[in-house]
Amino acid sequence: MTRIVSGSAKGQTLLVPKSGTRPTSERVREALFSRLEHYGYIKECVVLDLFAGSGALAFEALSRGASDAVCVEANPGAAKIILQNARKLNLPVKVASQKVATYLCNTVPVTKFDLVFIDPPYDLDESALTEVLAGLELHLKDDAMVIVERAKRTPEPNWPDFLRLDDERSWGDTRIWTAVNSASASQ
């Protein structure tokens, strides 16, 4: 069972696709979001959740005070579940039911994002992840934070020049890297 850890929807359960997704554990979400809140990356932030699955990361952010969220999920069944979760939790989320690379390449950003979660299938190869990271450039606010969740055994992502590694943490079999948009610092 996947539940919202904190905020306005605390304790409410999320519907999760029967297969093909791996929701971030409550323990990892609690630790990650505590850190993000400490750095001021939740309240009033605009969130992008890539490879969204059930939307657990976006819904956790919205429950804790994020102002808006977009979930990108290629699996139509999972995209439908995200919408069901949004109705159940009464939290505002937009769903783009398409591949992440397609969304990043073909979507002209009307609003840029403060916080981006990238939680791809653990078997996504490193070159595909590198493409996703590179595709974020036009979608990020100057001080945006990017969170990448992978299996503990995977190597550090290949960061594009505009992203600077901020931190790396592990919980069980999960490793999380945080990076900040450093594009504004180089201008």
Side-chain angles (χ1 to χ4, degrees):
M1 178 184 332
T2 300
R3 291 182 303 222
I4 300 295
V5 176
S6 187
S8 64
K10 180 180 180 176
Q12 292 196 50
T13 59
L14 292 171
L15 300 170
V16 177
K18 291 187 187 341
S19 64
T21 64
R22 175 198 32 77
T24 302
S25 75
E26 288 180 34
R27 177 179 167 222
V28 171
R29 277 186 286 125
E30 183 173 14
L32 173 62
F33 277 88
S34 291
R35 187 165 184 276
L36 291 171
E37 285 177 322
H38 175 74
Y39 285 126
Y41 273 100
I42 301 295
K43 292 248 185 260
E44 299 302 315
C45 282
V46 180
V47 174
L48 178 62
D49 187 353
L50 301 176
F51 306 97
S54 67
L57 292 169
F59 290 121
E60 189 71 45
L62 289 165
S63 178
R64 291 172 183 245
S67 62
D68 199 9
V70 175
C71 291
V72 181
E73 176 54 57
N75 180 304
K80 184 177 177 181
I81 284 176
I82 294 169
L83 291 171
Q84 291 172 333
N85 282 329
R87 282 190 295 276
K88 177 181 177 185
L89 301 172
N90 196 30
L91 292 172
V93 69
K94 296 171 189 76
V95 178
S97 184
Q98 58 189 279
K99 291 183 177 184
V100 167
T102 303
Y103 176 84
L104 293 174
C105 290
N106 296 337
T107 304
V108 177
V110 175
T111 302
K112 293 190 177 196
F113 298 97
D114 299 290
L115 185 58
V116 178
F117 294 104
I118 303 173
D119 183 11
Y122 279 177
D123 62 356
L124 183 78
D125 69 53
E126 297 308 309
S127 63
L129 178 59
T130 299
E131 266 185 56
V132 168
L133 290 168
L136 287 174
E137 188 168 19
L138 298 176
H139 297 271
L140 300 177
K141 289 185 180 175
D142 286 346
D143 60 347
M145 182 168 277
V146 176
I147 311 295
V148 177
E149 180 179 339
R150 303 282 278 162
K152 189 174 185 174
R153 67 187 177 281
T154 58
E156 179 180 337
N158 294 312
W159 303 106
D161 290 341
F162 62 90
L163 289 175
R164 177 184 47 79
L165 179 65
D166 176 62
D167 193 37
E168 173 185 343
R169 307 252 170 143
S170 294
W171 295 275
D173 291 336
T174 302
R175 178 169 290 160
I176 292 194
W177 290 271
T178 56
V180 293
N181 186 4
S182 60
S184 62
S186 63
Q187 294 176 356

